[in-house]
Amino acid sequence: MTSVFNLRTIVGLLLLLALVLLPVYVELTGSRFLLTLFTRIAILALAAVSLNLILGYGGMMSFGHAAYLGIGGYAVGILAFEGVTTGFVQWPVALLVSAFFALVIGALSLRTRGVYFIMITLAFAQMAYYIVAGLARYGGDDGLTIQKRSQFIAPINLSNKVQFYYICLALLCAAIYLVWRLINSRFGMAIQGARSNDTRMRAIGFPTYRYKLTCFVIAGTLCGLAGALLANHTDFVSPAMMYWTRSGDLIIMVVLGGMGSTFGPLFGAVALLVLEEVLSGITEYWQIILGPLLLLVVLFARGGIDGLLGKVRHV
Amino acid sequence: MTLFIEQCLNGLQFGLLLFLLAAGLTLVFGIMDLVNLAHGSLYMLGAYFAATFAAWTGSFVLGAILALGATLLVGMAVEVIAMRRLYGRDHLDHVLATFGLILFFDELVRLIWGAGGMSLPLPSWLNTSVRILPGVDYSAYKLSIIVVSLSVAGFLYFLVMRTRLGMLIRAGASNREMVGALGVNIKLLFTLVFGLGAALAGVAGLMQAPILAVQIGMGENILILAFVITVIGGIGSIRGAFVAAILVGFIDTLGRAYFTDLLRLAFTKETAATAAPALSSMLIYLLMAIVLVIRPEGLFPASSK
């Protein structure tokens, strides 16, 4: 926190720079696949950044974060299906619906703590999953194809792959910056204080419930944005994008990268998705390697990638 | 009326089955303070073992007994290899590590048994219906599930409340260190408890196998229901799990059966038909939300540690 230019910040900024330059590399080599993969990485990293805000800084172990991915995605999908293709309506609706959902879930869930909180967020996310799977008009279990990506004014065209990649990346950077500012503000200090000792924070006069709920809603809204992007990226939404294993993936990204760190979620998202790509290239049964690997990370590398980088500095 | 009795029995059967799963989950949590997401994988393994062993031996009962033993062994092996290192860690670590185990077990099953799934045919003596009341027939197999689950529940009560092992388990739940200091082999006790929980999940899985398809991911949907039950009942409370499981079993089954008719009273036929499936699968989550608003610790909070 004291020095801005430590190793983890430098690596984080270098990674961002590499991401900015990626389309140039893709242009030179012509491997379109990389661009698609990294667009996906940028979007899921955005979701991980939002989860990190409540999980890493707020200590709220939400196991239902993928619900907002689905809600944001379906807001875009359903509006497109009903003929509203302008992004100026779609995206604000996606954000508002996610925020509202987060407000309801948060208001109920934050009454509990610990394991109860993990399980109740999980259960609410599953509830959302079943609601969406029951929407027969919008494809139900099979999902909904989006005919036309969100429309914006003239120079912005989401169907242009490079442009869409840069939009995702810009939003990711904005989210990282936003969370960083938030965490170093008075609000962020109160949230972190509530994580380490809720009773004490209340004793000195902070209404921690309201602080935590606000934080929960901000994270849900950010993740809803990621959902809207994901729907545009795949041109398709289905209940599978909010299944509980997806929430698990997001938690893995945050923990793998390093909880409660600025660039941790970015590291985690890049590491997990690139690892998936590499492992699935080696064997069809790649999860048989990923599963135990995860166990090892939990047992032996608590701080994640960010923690490892932090240690290097002290050697 | 006949249909209603049948649906009630279905609800009871489903509730008891859920209890077997939730009991293992809540036992492991109450005693080791461990959140085990991989519980659903053990349920799945129970079903796969039963299907395999029944095919090998040609006998349904023999296959079920072998499957029970196999799940118990797998559970104990998982405890010794992985879980043991997680006690006393953060709950988030448990969630992540056992999530890793789910990925591992799902893929392992795909590797061994293939992605196609299996079926476990019922023997003819179970595949009939029994006249339980004048004019009411009910599937003999579902009836036998009710009987077996009730006896397992009774056995569990006897084991925990009336035997020396149960005494140690209860003591371990209230104060681990003290029980260890009194010379009890706590490591072995924990391995046994985890194995017991695994065996309970295995029983649930192998009994459900002939009704539903044996397939990868079968444990994951029902695991969430088991979580809802433990939360409603109060985490760590077996009695709470029993009450909540029966409650959830009834609400889920009756909701699916009659919710469409109920909605039809207030809305048009089309609205009722489209809204009912989604709403009825939401009912139990709604129940959980209500319980948590009124009693954030569940219906029967386990005594504070």
Short mmCIF file of all heavy atoms in Angstrom, two decimals, chain A residues 61 63 108 111 115-116 119-120 122-123 126-127 130-131 243-245 248 252 255 259 285 287-288 291-292 294-295 298-299 302, chain B residues 29 35 37 89 91-93 95-97 99-100 102 104 107 111 220-221 224 227 231 234-235 281-282 285 288 292-293 297:
data_model
loop_
_atom_site.label_atom_id
_atom_site.label_comp_id
_atom_site.label_asym_id
_atom_site.label_seq_id
_atom_site.Cartn_x
_atom_site.Cartn_y
_atom_site.Cartn_z
N MET A 61 -18.56 -13.88 1.48
CA MET A 61 -18.28 -15.03 0.61
C MET A 61 -19.50 -15.38 -0.21
O MET A 61 -20.22 -16.32 0.10
CB MET A 61 -17.86 -16.22 1.45
CG MET A 61 -16.49 -16.06 2.05
SD MET A 61 -16.07 -17.53 2.96
CE MET A 61 -16.16 -16.94 4.62
N PHE A 63 -21.48 -17.04 -3.02
CA PHE A 63 -21.32 -18.17 -3.93
C PHE A 63 -22.39 -18.12 -5.01
O PHE A 63 -22.76 -19.13 -5.58
CB PHE A 63 -21.42 -19.49 -3.15
CG PHE A 63 -20.76 -20.66 -3.81
CD1 PHE A 63 -20.29 -21.71 -3.06
CD2 PHE A 63 -20.58 -20.70 -5.18
CE1 PHE A 63 -19.68 -22.79 -3.65
CE2 PHE A 63 -19.96 -21.77 -5.79
CZ PHE A 63 -19.52 -22.83 -5.03
N LEU A 108 -31.49 -9.69 2.19
CA LEU A 108 -31.84 -10.90 2.93
C LEU A 108 -30.60 -11.64 3.42
O LEU A 108 -30.51 -12.06 4.57
CB LEU A 108 -32.68 -11.83 2.05
CG LEU A 108 -34.11 -11.36 1.78
CD1 LEU A 108 -34.76 -12.22 0.72
CD2 LEU A 108 -34.92 -11.41 3.06
N ARG A 111 -28.26 -10.59 6.47
CA ARG A 111 -28.70 -10.84 7.84
C ARG A 111 -27.97 -12.03 8.44
O ARG A 111 -27.95 -12.21 9.65
CB ARG A 111 -30.20 -11.12 7.85
CG ARG A 111 -31.06 -9.94 7.44
CD ARG A 111 -32.49 -10.38 7.25
NE ARG A 111 -32.99 -11.10 8.42
CZ ARG A 111 -33.53 -10.51 9.47
NH1 ARG A 111 -33.65 -9.21 9.49
NH2 ARG A 111 -33.96 -11.21 10.49
N VAL A 115 -21.06 -19.58 7.01
CA VAL A 115 -21.53 -20.61 6.09
C VAL A 115 -22.94 -20.33 5.61
O VAL A 115 -23.28 -20.60 4.46
CB VAL A 115 -21.52 -21.98 6.77
CG1 VAL A 115 -21.61 -23.06 5.73
CG2 VAL A 115 -20.31 -22.16 7.62
N TYR A 116 -23.78 -19.78 6.50
CA TYR A 116 -25.14 -19.46 6.09
C TYR A 116 -25.12 -18.51 4.91
O TYR A 116 -25.90 -18.64 3.99
CB TYR A 116 -25.90 -18.81 7.25
CG TYR A 116 -26.33 -19.79 8.30
CD1 TYR A 116 -25.53 -20.05 9.40
CD2 TYR A 116 -27.55 -20.46 8.19
CE1 TYR A 116 -25.93 -20.95 10.37
CE2 TYR A 116 -27.95 -21.36 9.15
CZ TYR A 116 -27.15 -21.60 10.24
OH TYR A 116 -27.53 -22.50 11.18
N MET A 119 -24.21 -20.32 1.69
CA MET A 119 -25.25 -21.19 1.17
C MET A 119 -26.47 -20.42 0.70
O MET A 119 -27.12 -20.81 -0.27
CB MET A 119 -25.64 -22.21 2.23
CG MET A 119 -24.52 -23.19 2.46
SD MET A 119 -25.01 -24.48 3.55
CE MET A 119 -23.47 -25.37 3.69
N ILE A 120 -26.79 -19.32 1.38
CA ILE A 120 -28.00 -18.60 0.98
C ILE A 120 -27.77 -17.87 -0.35
O ILE A 120 -28.65 -17.84 -1.21
CB ILE A 120 -28.47 -17.63 2.09
CG1 ILE A 120 -29.90 -17.17 1.80
CG2 ILE A 120 -27.59 -16.45 2.26
CD1 ILE A 120 -30.50 -16.36 2.88
N LEU A 122 -25.81 -18.94 -2.65
CA LEU A 122 -25.85 -20.05 -3.60
C LEU A 122 -27.29 -20.40 -3.95
O LEU A 122 -27.65 -20.56 -5.12
CB LEU A 122 -25.13 -21.25 -2.99
CG LEU A 122 -25.16 -22.57 -3.73
CD1 LEU A 122 -24.45 -22.43 -5.05
CD2 LEU A 122 -24.50 -23.67 -2.92
N ALA A 123 -28.12 -20.48 -2.92
CA ALA A 123 -29.51 -20.88 -3.15
C ALA A 123 -30.26 -19.82 -3.95
O ALA A 123 -31.04 -20.16 -4.85
CB ALA A 123 -30.21 -21.13 -1.82
N GLN A 126 -29.34 -20.14 -7.53
CA GLN A 126 -30.01 -21.29 -8.15
C GLN A 126 -31.47 -20.96 -8.45
O GLN A 126 -32.03 -21.39 -9.44
CB GLN A 126 -29.95 -22.51 -7.23
CG GLN A 126 -28.67 -23.28 -7.31
CD GLN A 126 -28.32 -23.71 -8.71
OE1 GLN A 126 -27.53 -23.06 -9.37
NE2 GLN A 126 -28.91 -24.78 -9.20
N MET A 127 -32.07 -20.18 -7.54
CA MET A 127 -33.45 -19.76 -7.75
C MET A 127 -33.55 -18.95 -9.05
O MET A 127 -34.43 -19.21 -9.88
CB MET A 127 -33.89 -18.92 -6.55
CG MET A 127 -35.33 -18.62 -6.51
SD MET A 127 -35.77 -17.99 -4.89
CE MET A 127 -35.94 -16.29 -5.23
N TYR A 130 -33.38 -21.22 -11.99
CA TYR A 130 -34.61 -21.93 -12.31
C TYR A 130 -35.66 -21.01 -12.93
O TYR A 130 -36.41 -21.41 -13.80
CB TYR A 130 -35.17 -22.62 -11.07
CG TYR A 130 -34.41 -23.86 -10.71
CD1 TYR A 130 -33.75 -23.98 -9.50
CD2 TYR A 130 -34.32 -24.91 -11.63
CE1 TYR A 130 -33.03 -25.12 -9.19
CE2 TYR A 130 -33.60 -26.05 -11.33
CZ TYR A 130 -32.96 -26.15 -10.10
OH TYR A 130 -32.24 -27.27 -9.83
N ILE A 131 -35.68 -19.75 -12.46
CA ILE A 131 -36.62 -18.80 -13.07
C ILE A 131 -36.32 -18.66 -14.56
O ILE A 131 -37.20 -18.78 -15.41
CB ILE A 131 -36.52 -17.41 -12.40
CG1 ILE A 131 -36.94 -17.49 -10.95
CG2 ILE A 131 -37.40 -16.40 -13.14
CD1 ILE A 131 -36.76 -16.19 -10.20
N TYR A 243 -25.26 -20.98 -13.92
CA TYR A 243 -25.25 -22.19 -13.11
C TYR A 243 -24.22 -22.04 -11.98
O TYR A 243 -23.27 -21.29 -12.12
CB TYR A 243 -24.91 -23.39 -13.99
CG TYR A 243 -25.26 -24.72 -13.36
CD1 TYR A 243 -26.57 -24.96 -12.95
CD2 TYR A 243 -24.31 -25.69 -13.16
CE1 TYR A 243 -26.89 -26.16 -12.37
CE2 TYR A 243 -24.63 -26.90 -12.58
CZ TYR A 243 -25.94 -27.13 -12.17
OH TYR A 243 -26.25 -28.31 -11.58
N TRP A 244 -24.41 -22.75 -10.89
CA TRP A 244 -23.59 -22.48 -9.71
C TRP A 244 -22.11 -22.81 -9.91
O TRP A 244 -21.26 -22.22 -9.25
CB TRP A 244 -24.12 -23.20 -8.48
CG TRP A 244 -23.97 -24.68 -8.50
CD1 TRP A 244 -24.71 -25.56 -9.20
CD2 TRP A 244 -23.01 -25.45 -7.77
NE1 TRP A 244 -24.29 -26.83 -8.97
CE2 TRP A 244 -23.24 -26.79 -8.09
CE3 TRP A 244 -21.97 -25.14 -6.88
CZ2 TRP A 244 -22.48 -27.83 -7.57
CZ3 TRP A 244 -21.22 -26.18 -6.36
CH2 TRP A 244 -21.47 -27.50 -6.70
N THR A 245 -21.80 -23.69 -10.88
CA THR A 245 -20.38 -23.99 -11.10
C THR A 245 -19.68 -22.77 -11.68
O THR A 245 -18.49 -22.58 -11.49
CB THR A 245 -20.22 -25.17 -12.06
OG1 THR A 245 -21.06 -24.96 -13.18
CG2 THR A 245 -20.61 -26.47 -11.39
N GLY A 248 -18.57 -20.79 -8.97
CA GLY A 248 -17.35 -21.42 -8.46
C GLY A 248 -16.14 -20.99 -9.27
O GLY A 248 -15.09 -20.65 -8.71
N ILE A 252 -12.76 -19.15 -7.98
CA ILE A 252 -11.42 -19.68 -8.28
C ILE A 252 -10.53 -18.57 -8.83
O ILE A 252 -9.39 -18.40 -8.41
CB ILE A 252 -11.49 -20.84 -9.29
CG1 ILE A 252 -12.22 -22.02 -8.68
CG2 ILE A 252 -10.09 -21.25 -9.73
CD1 ILE A 252 -12.46 -23.14 -9.66
N VAL A 255 -9.48 -16.19 -6.00
CA VAL A 255 -8.55 -16.76 -5.02
C VAL A 255 -7.22 -17.11 -5.68
O VAL A 255 -6.15 -16.88 -5.11
CB VAL A 255 -9.17 -18.00 -4.35
CG1 VAL A 255 -8.17 -18.67 -3.44
CG2 VAL A 255 -10.40 -17.60 -3.58
N MET A 259 -6.84 -12.80 -3.30
CA MET A 259 -8.00 -12.07 -2.79
C MET A 259 -7.58 -10.70 -2.26
O MET A 259 -6.51 -10.56 -1.68
CB MET A 259 -8.63 -12.84 -1.65
CG MET A 259 -9.60 -13.89 -2.08
SD MET A 259 -10.67 -14.26 -0.71
CE MET A 259 -9.51 -14.91 0.44
N TYR A 285 -9.78 -35.00 -20.80
CA TYR A 285 -10.19 -35.05 -19.39
C TYR A 285 -9.42 -34.04 -18.55
O TYR A 285 -8.87 -34.37 -17.51
CB TYR A 285 -10.00 -36.46 -18.84
CG TYR A 285 -10.73 -37.50 -19.64
CD1 TYR A 285 -10.05 -38.31 -20.54
CD2 TYR A 285 -12.11 -37.66 -19.52
CE1 TYR A 285 -10.73 -39.26 -21.28
CE2 TYR A 285 -12.79 -38.60 -20.26
CZ TYR A 285 -12.10 -39.39 -21.14
OH TYR A 285 -12.78 -40.32 -21.87
N GLN A 287 -10.19 -31.61 -16.62
CA GLN A 287 -10.62 -31.22 -15.27
C GLN A 287 -10.04 -32.14 -14.21
O GLN A 287 -9.98 -31.78 -13.04
CB GLN A 287 -12.14 -31.21 -15.19
CG GLN A 287 -12.73 -30.06 -15.97
CD GLN A 287 -14.17 -29.83 -15.66
OE1 GLN A 287 -14.85 -30.70 -15.16
NE2 GLN A 287 -14.66 -28.65 -15.97
N ILE A 288 -9.62 -33.33 -14.63
CA ILE A 288 -9.03 -34.26 -13.67
C ILE A 288 -7.68 -33.72 -13.20
O ILE A 288 -7.18 -34.09 -12.14
CB ILE A 288 -8.91 -35.67 -14.30
CG1 ILE A 288 -9.16 -36.72 -13.22
CG2 ILE A 288 -7.58 -35.89 -14.97
CD1 ILE A 288 -9.48 -38.08 -13.77
N GLY A 291 -8.81 -30.00 -11.03
CA GLY A 291 -9.39 -30.20 -9.71
C GLY A 291 -8.33 -30.32 -8.62
O GLY A 291 -8.28 -29.50 -7.68
N PRO A 292 -7.45 -31.33 -8.72
CA PRO A 292 -6.40 -31.46 -7.71
C PRO A 292 -5.47 -30.25 -7.65
O PRO A 292 -4.98 -29.89 -6.58
CB PRO A 292 -5.64 -32.70 -8.18
CG PRO A 292 -6.64 -33.48 -8.94
CD PRO A 292 -7.49 -32.48 -9.63
N LEU A 294 -6.28 -27.22 -7.99
CA LEU A 294 -7.00 -26.25 -7.16
C LEU A 294 -6.80 -26.56 -5.68
O LEU A 294 -6.56 -25.67 -4.86
CB LEU A 294 -8.48 -26.38 -7.51
CG LEU A 294 -9.34 -25.18 -7.35
CD1 LEU A 294 -8.79 -24.07 -8.17
CD2 LEU A 294 -10.73 -25.52 -7.78
N LEU A 295 -6.91 -27.86 -5.38
CA LEU A 295 -6.71 -28.32 -4.01
C LEU A 295 -5.32 -27.91 -3.53
O LEU A 295 -5.14 -27.43 -2.41
CB LEU A 295 -6.87 -29.84 -3.99
CG LEU A 295 -7.17 -30.52 -2.66
CD1 LEU A 295 -8.52 -30.08 -2.18
CD2 LEU A 295 -7.15 -32.02 -2.84
N VAL A 298 -5.11 -24.20 -2.77
CA VAL A 298 -5.74 -23.90 -1.49
C VAL A 298 -4.82 -24.30 -0.33
O VAL A 298 -4.67 -23.56 0.65
CB VAL A 298 -7.09 -24.64 -1.37
CG1 VAL A 298 -7.64 -24.49 0.04
CG2 VAL A 298 -8.07 -24.10 -2.37
N LEU A 299 -4.19 -25.47 -0.48
CA LEU A 299 -3.38 -25.98 0.63
C LEU A 299 -2.05 -25.25 0.77
O LEU A 299 -1.59 -25.01 1.88
CB LEU A 299 -3.13 -27.48 0.45
CG LEU A 299 -4.36 -28.36 0.66
CD1 LEU A 299 -4.03 -29.81 0.37
CD2 LEU A 299 -4.90 -28.23 2.06
N ARG A 302 -1.66 -19.77 -0.41
CA ARG A 302 -2.84 -19.06 0.05
C ARG A 302 -3.06 -17.70 -0.62
O ARG A 302 -4.17 -17.34 -0.94
CB ARG A 302 -2.78 -18.86 1.57
CG ARG A 302 -2.97 -20.12 2.34
CD ARG A 302 -4.39 -20.30 2.83
NE ARG A 302 -5.37 -19.39 2.30
CZ ARG A 302 -6.27 -18.79 3.02
NH1 ARG A 302 -6.28 -18.96 4.31
NH2 ARG A 302 -7.17 -18.02 2.47
N PHE B 29 -20.40 -30.98 9.05
CA PHE B 29 -20.22 -29.59 9.42
C PHE B 29 -20.26 -29.41 10.93
O PHE B 29 -19.43 -28.70 11.51
CB PHE B 29 -21.30 -28.70 8.78
CG PHE B 29 -21.10 -27.27 9.13
CD1 PHE B 29 -20.17 -26.53 8.42
CD2 PHE B 29 -21.75 -26.68 10.19
CE1 PHE B 29 -19.93 -25.22 8.75
CE2 PHE B 29 -21.51 -25.38 10.54
CZ PHE B 29 -20.59 -24.64 9.81
N VAL B 35 -17.18 -27.40 5.42
CA VAL B 35 -18.19 -27.30 4.36
C VAL B 35 -17.78 -28.21 3.23
O VAL B 35 -16.71 -28.04 2.66
CB VAL B 35 -18.28 -25.85 3.83
CG1 VAL B 35 -19.38 -25.75 2.80
CG2 VAL B 35 -18.54 -24.89 4.96
N LEU B 37 -18.63 -29.45 -0.31
CA LEU B 37 -19.40 -29.40 -1.55
C LEU B 37 -19.36 -30.73 -2.28
O LEU B 37 -20.25 -31.05 -3.06
CB LEU B 37 -18.85 -28.33 -2.49
CG LEU B 37 -18.99 -26.88 -2.10
CD1 LEU B 37 -18.51 -26.01 -3.23
CD2 LEU B 37 -20.42 -26.54 -1.79
N ARG B 89 -9.28 -24.46 8.75
CA ARG B 89 -9.07 -23.42 7.75
C ARG B 89 -10.35 -22.60 7.58
O ARG B 89 -11.40 -22.95 8.08
CB ARG B 89 -8.72 -24.05 6.39
CG ARG B 89 -7.39 -24.75 6.36
CD ARG B 89 -6.26 -23.77 6.28
NE ARG B 89 -5.08 -24.40 5.71
CZ ARG B 89 -4.70 -24.25 4.46
NH1 ARG B 89 -5.37 -23.48 3.65
NH2 ARG B 89 -3.62 -24.85 4.02
N HIS B 91 -13.66 -21.10 5.80
CA HIS B 91 -14.70 -21.80 5.06
C HIS B 91 -14.54 -21.65 3.56
O HIS B 91 -14.89 -22.53 2.79
CB HIS B 91 -16.08 -21.32 5.48
CG HIS B 91 -16.48 -21.82 6.83
ND1 HIS B 91 -17.23 -21.10 7.72
CD2 HIS B 91 -16.21 -22.98 7.45
CE1 HIS B 91 -17.40 -21.79 8.81
NE2 HIS B 91 -16.78 -22.93 8.69
N LEU B 92 -13.99 -20.52 3.15
CA LEU B 92 -13.78 -20.29 1.72
C LEU B 92 -12.80 -21.33 1.16
O LEU B 92 -12.96 -21.82 0.04
CB LEU B 92 -13.23 -18.87 1.50
CG LEU B 92 -13.08 -18.49 0.04
CD1 LEU B 92 -14.42 -18.41 -0.64
CD2 LEU B 92 -12.36 -17.18 -0.10
N ASP B 93 -11.79 -21.69 1.97
CA ASP B 93 -10.85 -22.73 1.55
C ASP B 93 -11.56 -24.06 1.35
O ASP B 93 -11.29 -24.79 0.39
CB ASP B 93 -9.75 -22.91 2.60
CG ASP B 93 -8.76 -21.77 2.56
OD1 ASP B 93 -8.94 -20.89 1.71
OD2 ASP B 93 -7.83 -21.76 3.38
N VAL B 95 -14.71 -24.47 0.56
CA VAL B 95 -15.53 -24.37 -0.64
C VAL B 95 -14.68 -24.61 -1.89
O VAL B 95 -15.02 -25.41 -2.76
CB VAL B 95 -16.20 -22.98 -0.71
CG1 VAL B 95 -16.80 -22.73 -2.07
CG2 VAL B 95 -17.28 -22.87 0.35
N LEU B 96 -13.53 -23.95 -1.94
CA LEU B 96 -12.66 -24.07 -3.11
C LEU B 96 -12.11 -25.46 -3.27
O LEU B 96 -12.14 -26.04 -4.36
CB LEU B 96 -11.50 -23.10 -2.98
CG LEU B 96 -11.69 -21.76 -3.60
CD1 LEU B 96 -10.46 -20.94 -3.40
CD2 LEU B 96 -11.96 -21.92 -5.08
N ALA B 97 -11.58 -26.01 -2.18
CA ALA B 97 -10.93 -27.31 -2.25
C ALA B 97 -11.94 -28.38 -2.64
O ALA B 97 -11.68 -29.23 -3.50
CB ALA B 97 -10.28 -27.66 -0.92
N PHE B 99 -14.71 -27.87 -4.21
CA PHE B 99 -15.11 -27.60 -5.59
C PHE B 99 -14.13 -28.28 -6.54
O PHE B 99 -14.52 -28.87 -7.55
CB PHE B 99 -15.14 -26.09 -5.84
CG PHE B 99 -15.76 -25.70 -7.15
CD1 PHE B 99 -17.12 -25.69 -7.31
CD2 PHE B 99 -14.96 -25.34 -8.22
CE1 PHE B 99 -17.70 -25.33 -8.51
CE2 PHE B 99 -15.52 -24.98 -9.43
CZ PHE B 99 -16.89 -24.98 -9.57
N GLY B 100 -12.84 -28.21 -6.19
CA GLY B 100 -11.82 -28.92 -6.97
C GLY B 100 -12.09 -30.41 -6.99
O GLY B 100 -11.95 -31.07 -8.02
N ILE B 102 -15.01 -31.84 -6.77
CA ILE B 102 -16.16 -32.11 -7.65
C ILE B 102 -15.68 -32.25 -9.09
O ILE B 102 -16.03 -33.20 -9.78
CB ILE B 102 -17.19 -30.97 -7.57
CG1 ILE B 102 -17.85 -30.93 -6.21
CG2 ILE B 102 -18.24 -31.13 -8.65
CD1 ILE B 102 -18.88 -29.83 -6.09
N PHE B 104 -12.79 -33.07 -10.10
CA PHE B 104 -12.01 -34.30 -10.18
C PHE B 104 -12.93 -35.52 -10.31
O PHE B 104 -12.77 -36.35 -11.20
CB PHE B 104 -11.11 -34.42 -8.95
CG PHE B 104 -10.35 -35.71 -8.87
CD1 PHE B 104 -9.26 -35.94 -9.68
CD2 PHE B 104 -10.75 -36.70 -7.98
CE1 PHE B 104 -8.57 -37.13 -9.61
CE2 PHE B 104 -10.06 -37.89 -7.90
CZ PHE B 104 -8.97 -38.11 -8.72
N GLU B 107 -14.92 -35.80 -13.59
CA GLU B 107 -14.09 -36.20 -14.72
C GLU B 107 -13.66 -37.66 -14.57
O GLU B 107 -13.57 -38.40 -15.55
CB GLU B 107 -12.88 -35.27 -14.79
CG GLU B 107 -12.33 -35.07 -16.18
CD GLU B 107 -13.27 -34.30 -17.09
OE1 GLU B 107 -14.38 -34.78 -17.34
OE2 GLU B 107 -12.89 -33.23 -17.58
N LEU B 111 -14.23 -40.69 -17.12
CA LEU B 111 -13.11 -41.49 -17.59
C LEU B 111 -13.41 -42.97 -17.42
O LEU B 111 -13.12 -43.79 -18.30
CB LEU B 111 -11.86 -41.11 -16.77
CG LEU B 111 -10.50 -41.48 -17.33
CD1 LEU B 111 -10.25 -40.70 -18.60
CD2 LEU B 111 -9.42 -41.17 -16.31
N GLU B 220 -25.10 -32.74 -8.23
CA GLU B 220 -24.97 -31.30 -8.01
C GLU B 220 -26.30 -30.62 -7.76
O GLU B 220 -26.41 -29.74 -6.92
CB GLU B 220 -24.23 -30.67 -9.19
CG GLU B 220 -22.75 -31.00 -9.13
CD GLU B 220 -22.07 -30.93 -10.48
OE1 GLU B 220 -22.56 -30.22 -11.36
OE2 GLU B 220 -21.04 -31.62 -10.63
N ASN B 221 -27.34 -31.04 -8.50
CA ASN B 221 -28.65 -30.43 -8.28
C ASN B 221 -29.19 -30.74 -6.90
O ASN B 221 -29.72 -29.88 -6.21
CB ASN B 221 -29.63 -30.92 -9.34
CG ASN B 221 -29.30 -30.37 -10.69
OD1 ASN B 221 -28.88 -29.23 -10.81
ND2 ASN B 221 -29.45 -31.18 -11.72
N ILE B 224 -27.61 -28.90 -3.82
CA ILE B 224 -28.14 -27.58 -3.48
C ILE B 224 -29.35 -27.73 -2.57
O ILE B 224 -29.52 -26.99 -1.60
CB ILE B 224 -28.51 -26.80 -4.75
CG1 ILE B 224 -27.41 -26.86 -5.77
CG2 ILE B 224 -28.90 -25.39 -4.43
CD1 ILE B 224 -26.35 -25.87 -5.64
N PHE B 227 -28.26 -28.46 0.82
CA PHE B 227 -27.77 -27.23 1.46
C PHE B 227 -28.93 -26.42 2.01
O PHE B 227 -28.90 -25.95 3.14
CB PHE B 227 -27.00 -26.38 0.46
CG PHE B 227 -25.56 -26.74 0.39
CD1 PHE B 227 -24.88 -26.66 -0.81
CD2 PHE B 227 -24.88 -27.16 1.52
CE1 PHE B 227 -23.55 -27.00 -0.88
CE2 PHE B 227 -23.56 -27.49 1.45
CZ PHE B 227 -22.89 -27.42 0.24
N VAL B 231 -29.58 -25.39 5.87
CA VAL B 231 -29.73 -24.00 6.29
C VAL B 231 -31.06 -23.79 7.01
O VAL B 231 -31.12 -23.15 8.06
CB VAL B 231 -29.61 -23.05 5.08
CG1 VAL B 231 -30.04 -21.66 5.45
CG2 VAL B 231 -28.19 -23.03 4.57
N GLY B 234 -30.96 -25.49 10.42
CA GLY B 234 -29.92 -25.06 11.35
C GLY B 234 -28.70 -25.93 11.12
O GLY B 234 -28.77 -27.14 11.32
N ILE B 235 -27.58 -25.31 10.70
CA ILE B 235 -26.42 -26.11 10.31
C ILE B 235 -25.87 -26.83 11.53
O ILE B 235 -25.65 -26.23 12.57
CB ILE B 235 -25.36 -25.22 9.66
CG1 ILE B 235 -25.95 -24.55 8.43
CG2 ILE B 235 -24.16 -26.05 9.25
CD1 ILE B 235 -25.04 -23.59 7.75
N SER B 281 -40.62 -24.51 -8.59
CA SER B 281 -39.24 -24.84 -8.22
C SER B 281 -38.62 -23.75 -7.36
O SER B 281 -37.59 -23.95 -6.73
CB SER B 281 -38.39 -25.13 -9.46
OG SER B 281 -38.52 -24.11 -10.40
N MET B 282 -39.30 -22.58 -7.31
CA MET B 282 -38.80 -21.51 -6.44
C MET B 282 -39.29 -21.64 -5.01
O MET B 282 -38.72 -21.06 -4.09
CB MET B 282 -39.29 -20.15 -6.96
CG MET B 282 -38.42 -19.50 -7.98
SD MET B 282 -39.27 -18.02 -8.54
CE MET B 282 -39.37 -17.10 -7.01
N TYR B 285 -36.93 -22.26 -2.10
CA TYR B 285 -36.00 -21.16 -1.85
C TYR B 285 -36.71 -20.02 -1.13
O TYR B 285 -36.14 -19.34 -0.29
CB TYR B 285 -35.37 -20.68 -3.16
CG TYR B 285 -34.62 -21.78 -3.86
CD1 TYR B 285 -35.15 -22.42 -4.96
CD2 TYR B 285 -33.39 -22.21 -3.36
CE1 TYR B 285 -34.46 -23.45 -5.58
CE2 TYR B 285 -32.72 -23.23 -3.98
CZ TYR B 285 -33.25 -23.85 -5.09
OH TYR B 285 -32.58 -24.86 -5.67
N MET B 288 -36.90 -20.95 2.38
CA MET B 288 -35.63 -20.69 3.04
C MET B 288 -35.48 -19.21 3.37
O MET B 288 -35.05 -18.85 4.47
CB MET B 288 -34.48 -21.15 2.17
CG MET B 288 -33.14 -20.99 2.84
SD MET B 288 -31.81 -21.38 1.75
CE MET B 288 -31.89 -19.97 0.71
N LEU B 292 -35.07 -17.66 7.07
CA LEU B 292 -33.88 -16.90 7.45
C LEU B 292 -34.22 -15.49 7.92
O LEU B 292 -33.51 -14.92 8.74
CB LEU B 292 -32.88 -16.85 6.30
CG LEU B 292 -32.09 -18.14 6.13
CD1 LEU B 292 -31.19 -18.05 4.94
CD2 LEU B 292 -31.28 -18.43 7.37
N VAL B 293 -35.30 -14.94 7.38
CA VAL B 293 -35.70 -13.60 7.83
C VAL B 293 -36.19 -13.68 9.28
O VAL B 293 -35.86 -12.83 10.10
CB VAL B 293 -36.82 -13.03 6.91
CG1 VAL B 293 -37.44 -11.81 7.55
CG2 VAL B 293 -36.24 -12.68 5.56
N GLU B 297 -30.61 -18.23 12.17
CA GLU B 297 -29.78 -19.40 12.47
C GLU B 297 -30.46 -20.71 12.12
O GLU B 297 -30.01 -21.79 12.50
CB GLU B 297 -29.43 -19.42 13.97
CG GLU B 297 -28.68 -18.21 14.43
CD GLU B 297 -27.19 -18.42 14.38
OE1 GLU B 297 -26.65 -18.97 15.34
OE2 GLU B 297 -26.57 -18.04 13.36
#
